[in-house]
Amino acid sequence: MSYPRPCTPEAKLADAKKQLSLPHIVVICGSTRFMPEMAEADLRETKAGRIVVKPGCDLKSPHALRADPVEAEALKVRLDDLHRAKIRLADEVLVVGDYIGDSTRAEIAYARSLGRPVRFTHPEVDPDA
């Protein structure tokens, strides 16, 4: 007698995306110093028919949300968790910019550990190339 294989959360998500006929989902990663380039990449990917998710906050620019250093650090932790969730949701990662910092390097490693393809606007900065 065969038993049904346990369905992982990843398999359930893939099945739901297929049942909903969702377009390819791309998550944009990179240093927030490249926010204008991320907006341009978003435009190109959207024009190509892809769903795009990207960083929604730039922690390098002054803002009242980041005035208190303790709250700012807690916000960074929450945003990092949120971005990893975006990577899990996505079918592919697009790294924008000609610089890879520690956070982006960690996101690339995380995406690759999940088996997500990683594409670069500047392939020469690929840490695994």
Side-chain angles (χ1 to χ4, degrees):
M1 171 181 228
S2 70
Y3 295 95
R5 291 182 11 181
C7 194
T8 65
E10 293 82 6
K12 288 179 183 179
L13 176 60
D15 186 51
K17 287 162 58 173
K18 186 184 290 186
Q19 287 182 29
L20 292 168
S21 300
L22 291 180
H24 193 75
I25 301 172
V26 176
V27 63
I28 294 177
C29 294
S31 171
T32 55
R33 72 173 74 169
F34 298 116
M35 291 299 266
E37 291 88 347
M38 289 181 185
E40 181 64 29
D42 185 349
L43 177 64
R44 286 191 311 274
E45 295 296 314
T46 299
K47 183 178 180 227
R50 299 178 186 105
I51 294 173
V52 178
V53 291
K54 65 182 188 213
C57 295
D58 172 5
L59 293 180
K60 291 184 172 71
S61 298
H63 192 280
L65 286 175
R66 297 175 291 285
D68 179 305
V70 174
E71 288 180 22
E73 185 55 33
L75 176 60
K76 181 179 179 354
V77 169
R78 288 194 314 273
L79 292 175
D80 287 347
D81 289 345
L82 181 61
H83 203 68
R84 282 190 296 277
K86 292 175 184 180
I87 293 169
R88 289 191 304 276
L89 176 67
D91 300 304
E92 176 184 24
V93 172
L94 174 60
V95 179
V96 172
D98 60 359
Y99 162 81
I100 303 292
D102 292 338
S103 293
T104 303
R105 189 177 316 278
E107 292 166 358
I108 293 166
Y110 182 65
R112 287 181 167 153
S113 77
L114 297 173
R116 301 297 185 273
V118 179
R119 195 164 35 105
F120 294 80
T121 59
H122 294 77
E124 67 274 11
V125 299
D126 182 347
D128 294 338

